[in-house]
Amino acid sequence: MSNASQEMRERWNGKVFPGFDKPLEFCPIRPKHREALLKAIWKSQHRLRGFIGWAKYVRSWNIKTILRFIDDHINDPIPNQHFVFIIGDQIVGMGSLVKAYTDMDAQIALWITSGFEGKGIGKAIVATLEDIAFKTWGFEVLYYEHDALNEASKRLPQKCGFVFSHVRDLEKSAEGESGFWFSWKKIRPTNLPDAIFQGRPIEDFIVP
């Protein structure tokens, strides 16, 4: 049986986006990414704080606080998983799979580093996380949620084939939020091979 993680990396690692001379690559967040991630957060905090709750505090963070924030993501327990997306030596985005409504659901969370928006990187992040959720872990439902006022985010799930699921009223956590959220979902295709949750050994997904 083929190695699904290897197939995924071959599919999504290596695409060269217009305007760049190096390919987009991804991997789980690791301690070695601290410096590059620190730069990406500082560069993007003015834009991110509108719709990402933690970003509104970045202006008051010192280096120690940011490094602790990064380490919290590195050490976050399963089912939460966090990945960095890199072109050259720059982190151009971060994507996560986090717990949703049941043990068999997951939710996508992502942000793009300022200066890299509108280049198709967001769509690549969603597609990569979808592969991880469905082909590696075997989640049954994948959600993408965004505040109603987040114009950039509301277009992405539709471009990636998600369908409308429901709406939610949530407490505002960021400067630009309305508190009214849209939820989109995608169902795991029935023709996929078994993944970890269907009983396939985790060793089948370890990249040599």
Side-chain angles (χ1 to χ4, degrees), residues 29 70-82 96-98:
I29 183 172
I70 294 171
D71 286 345
D72 285 345
H73 282 72
I74 293 172
N75 298 316
D76 206 6
I78 297 295
N80 296 344
Q81 305 160 70
H82 308 281
S96 303
L97 291 173
V98 298

Side-chain angles (χ1 to χ4, degrees), residues 12-78:
W12 295 114
N13 275 354
K15 179 176 180 179
V16 178
F17 284 78
F20 301 99
D21 59 1
K22 294 183 179 179
L24 177 70
E25 300 179 318
F26 82 98
C27 63
I29 183 172
R30 293 289 184 260
K32 67 180 181 180
H33 299 125
R34 287 191 185 104
E35 183 177 349
L37 192 54
L38 175 63
K39 292 178 180 178
I41 290 173
W42 276 116
K43 183 178 181 180
S44 309
Q45 53 102 0
H46 292 288
R47 180 174 54 83
L48 296 179
R49 68 185 186 218
F51 294 102
I52 298 180
W54 57 259
K56 67 183 177 182
Y57 301 110
V58 171
R59 287 173 292 181
S60 63
W61 286 359
N62 56 31
I63 298 297
K64 183 177 180 180
T65 305
I66 293 182
L67 291 177
R68 184 168 62 246
F69 169 83
I70 294 171
D71 286 345
D72 285 345
H73 282 72
I74 293 172
N75 298 316
D76 206 6
I78 297 295

Side-chain angles (χ1 to χ4, degrees), residues 25-180:
E25 300 179 318
F26 82 98
C27 63
I29 183 172
R30 293 289 184 260
K32 67 180 181 180
H33 299 125
R34 287 191 185 104
E35 183 177 349
L37 192 54
L38 175 63
K39 292 178 180 178
I41 290 173
W42 276 116
K43 183 178 181 180
S44 309
Q45 53 102 0
H46 292 288
R47 180 174 54 83
L48 296 179
R49 68 185 186 218
F51 294 102
I52 298 180
W54 57 259
K56 67 183 177 182
Y57 301 110
V58 171
R59 287 173 292 181
S60 63
W61 286 359
N62 56 31
I63 298 297
K64 183 177 180 180
T65 305
I66 293 182
L67 291 177
R68 184 168 62 246
F69 169 83
I70 294 171
D71 286 345
D72 285 345
H73 282 72
I74 293 172
N75 298 316
D76 206 6
I78 297 295
N80 296 344
Q81 305 160 70
H82 308 281
F83 301 86
V84 290
F85 291 77
I86 303 169
I87 294 179
D89 60 355
Q90 297 187 81
I91 291 179
V92 300
M94 182 172 172
S96 303
L97 291 173
V98 298
K99 184 175 175 59
Y101 298 95
T102 76
D103 290 341
M104 294 303 293
D105 301 337
Q107 178 183 329
I108 286 177
L110 67 90
W111 55 270
I112 307 297
T113 304
S114 290
F116 295 95
E117 312 96 312
K119 302 180 185 299
I121 292 172
K123 190 173 181 180
I125 291 177
V126 171
T128 301
L129 295 176
E130 180 182 329
D131 269 6
I132 296 170
F134 289 153
K135 295 182 179 181
T136 299
W137 288 101
F139 284 106
E140 294 176 351
V141 185
L142 184 60
Y143 289 94
Y144 184 109
E145 300 186 342
H146 63 84
D147 187 84
L149 297 181
N150 192 338
E151 294 295 329
S153 285
K154 71 171 57 175
R155 295 187 294 270
L156 188 55
Q158 299 173 72
K159 290 180 180 178
C160 296
F162 285 68
V163 297
F164 177 75
S165 176
H166 59 278
V167 297
R168 304 174 68 192
D169 287 315
L170 299 176
E171 182 178 351
K172 297 180 184 180
S173 63
E175 296 176 357
E177 288 182 349
S178 67
F180 186 71

